[in-house]
Amino acid sequence: MALDKESFNCALFEWYSKSGRVLPWQKEHDPYRIFVAVVMLQQTQVATMIPYYQRFISVLPTIKDLAETSDEMLLKLWEGLGYYSRARNLKSAAQIIMKEQGGIFPKDYDTLIRLPGIGDYSAGAILSIAFQAPFEAIDGNLYRIFSRILGIERPINDPVLRRQVSTWVKQLLPKDRPGDFNQALMDLGATICTANTAPACACCPFMAGCMAHQKGIEKDIPKRKAKALKKAETRTVFVILNDGKLALRKRDAEGLLGGMWEFPNREGELTFEAAKMQLAAWKITPTSIRKLPSLFHHFSHITWKLIGLKVIASFHAPETGFTWVSRETLQQIMSLPKAFSILLEAMDDSDSMEAKSEEEILTTLT
């Protein structure tokens, strides 16, 4: 199928002017704000991301503020968004821009692509939206839209599909409105030519010429390869309270949730006796141990089954190595990943119910 550049863009921009989304970072062509938005939108949907973006910008309104903020504040602002390496890359990139570019956001592709966390899509989106530079921004939305319009019955990660879509996007990209072109297609993919729900073909400006729609296979395109099964891991997590404070420790800098705070935990599902032995090894003297509801937390490549234990401690040795913080401090200052914060929610819910007897606890843990 041949796509005519002039008619395609005319239909796209007419739809965009009437139905496109109005997003906070579009109001000003501020490259810093667009940079933050583009990085936040990696792996995160717009509706979820907007309140995080607004809070982030209110606290760190300039690239200098981002470069100078503490890691603790950065992760607190990012708390709940997941994929925390994005936040660290964001700060590292800001520091490089301050040091090497005098705080002036780079306008050229070669400089931008060398920044941490910036790939082809992010660079194209930033340059086209902030500077109206003629760069395409091809993501899953565009692969899906064009595979349907062109009737390409291949998996979305197939190199042939990606080359075909890339060729068409480059040909269709208007030199005078590249930012609007990229944003319009993002909006079309997010609101009309959707991935996880039936596409709203009746509202699509390209319905008449869409090969997938003509064949009635729009729900089946793009094809998807079967996902590999996620690795499963069970962890016993200790929510330890002493004198109104919670025990936290920092994870290793490298690896999953690197450098973030966590509740003390052990791999595997511990028996009641093993849990008491672990607390003794940490020099924690418990007055009660209560099992919390088992929970699951899904990462991109692994699923954790979390066996939560609420521990009331009558004593802890100063050399335990834990940091003891109040709920207020944890809420206001420190960042706790969702994988662990959900246990606090479970604990609060269970506290409203009658506590189990020690005999019942022993039964559930063995």
Side-chain angles (χ1 to χ4, degrees):
M1 176 186 177
L3 298 178
D4 176 72
K5 180 175 180 177
E6 184 175 350
S7 59
F8 181 91
N9 287 335
C10 181
L12 179 66
F13 290 140
E14 182 178 358
W15 174 86
Y16 184 54
S17 66
K18 295 176 181 177
S19 305
R21 298 173 295 184
V22 178
L23 302 172
W25 52 92
Q26 296 172 335
K27 297 176 183 177
E28 302 174 16
H29 290 288
D30 182 339
Y32 167 66
R33 297 189 176 201
I34 293 166
F35 168 53
V36 172
V38 167
V39 172
M40 279 191 170
L41 285 170
Q42 297 167 358
Q43 307 292 335
T44 305
Q45 294 183 344
V46 169
T48 301
M49 166 270 200
I50 286 177
Y52 287 95
Y53 168 83
Q54 292 172 326
R55 182 178 63 165
F56 192 98
I57 291 299
S58 69
V59 177
L60 305 174
T62 69
I63 198 163
K64 182 174 183 291
D65 295 320
L66 172 57
E68 295 177 354
T69 194
S70 68
D71 289 346
E72 203 66 65
M73 174 58 74
L74 176 72
L75 294 176
K76 186 63 183 176
L77 290 171
W78 206 270
E79 185 178 41
L81 268 179
Y83 299 94
Y84 289 88
S85 61
R86 294 179 296 170
R88 297 188 185 91
N89 286 335
L90 200 64
K91 179 179 175 179
S92 296
Q95 291 174 328
I96 292 170
I97 292 170
M98 290 301 301
K99 181 180 179 180
E100 298 182 2
Q101 307 293 324
I104 305 300
F105 204 91
K107 295 183 179 181
D108 65 287
Y109 177 87
D110 290 340
T111 301
L112 195 56
I113 198 69
R114 290 197 296 268
L115 293 176
I118 298 296
D120 285 337
Y121 166 77
S122 298
I126 293 166
L127 291 170
S128 64
I129 298 170
F131 303 114
Q132 291 302 307
F135 288 91
E136 66 277 4
I138 304 178
D139 66 352
N141 281 315
L142 272 67
Y143 289 127
R144 183 172 62 257
I145 291 168
F146 282 96
S147 66
R148 286 172 175 166
I149 290 176
L150 298 168
I152 306 172
E153 298 186 52
R154 291 178 178 271
I156 198 165
N157 54 352
D158 187 297
V160 174
L161 180 149
R162 297 201 165 203
R163 284 196 299 270
Q164 288 179 295
V165 170
S166 179
T167 297
W168 276 110
V169 172
K170 289 177 185 294
Q171 292 176 5
L172 294 170
L173 182 75
K175 303 302 182 185
D176 57 335
R177 296 181 66 182
D180 287 344
F181 176 85
N182 288 326
Q183 290 180 106
L185 287 172
M186 292 175 201
D187 283 7
L188 189 73
T191 63
I192 302 297
C193 198
T194 51
N196 297 320
T197 58
C201 295
C203 301
C204 179
F206 306 115
M207 180 183 70
C210 176
M211 296 297 293
H213 181 71
Q214 290 176 14
K215 295 178 181 179
I217 57 173
E218 60 268 29
K219 295 179 184 179
D220 303 319
I221 289 182
K223 302 287 185 183
R224 298 187 180 276
K225 289 183 178 178
K227 291 184 179 180
L229 292 176
K230 288 185 179 182
K231 178 183 176 183
E233 186 176 293
T234 299
R235 305 197 75 84
T236 300
V237 184
F238 296 79
V239 184
I240 308 171
L241 296 101
N242 177 240
D243 195 24
K245 293 187 175 182
L246 292 157
L248 297 178
R249 67 183 184 187
K250 272 203 170 183
R251 293 176 64 83
D252 292 338
E254 302 299 325
L256 184 65
L257 303 177
M260 300 195 69
W261 292 102
E262 67 174 1
F263 292 129
N265 61 88
R266 281 278 309 277
E267 189 170 350
E269 184 169 357
L270 301 186
T271 65
F272 183 68
E273 289 302 322
K276 289 198 296 184
M277 290 175 63
Q278 179 60 72
L279 289 167
W282 286 330
K283 298 182 173 59
I284 299 291
T285 303
T287 59
S288 70
I289 304 173
R290 180 152 57 90
K291 187 178 182 182
L292 301 173
S294 296
L295 299 170
F296 292 87
H297 184 77
H298 304 282
F299 298 97
S300 60
H301 63 295
I302 190 171
T303 293
W304 277 359
K305 179 182 180 182
L306 302 169
I307 310 297
L309 301 179
K310 178 183 178 181
V311 179
I312 303 298
S314 63
F315 172 79
H316 68 84
E319 66 272 19
T320 55
F322 298 149
T323 298
W324 296 84
V325 300
S326 66
R327 287 287 290 268
E328 182 180 13
T329 298
L330 180 59
Q331 183 177 7
Q332 295 180 356
I333 299 173
M334 303 176 77
S335 175
L336 190 68
K338 187 69 173 176
F340 296 102
S341 64
I342 56 176
L343 287 164
L344 277 181
E345 299 168 11
M347 184 183 73
D348 291 341
D349 290 342
S350 67
D351 283 348
S352 65
M353 302 170 63
E354 184 179 355
K356 294 180 179 179
S357 68
E358 185 168 331
E359 181 179 351
E360 289 174 316
I361 296 169
L362 180 60
T363 301
T364 58
L365 291 178
T366 54

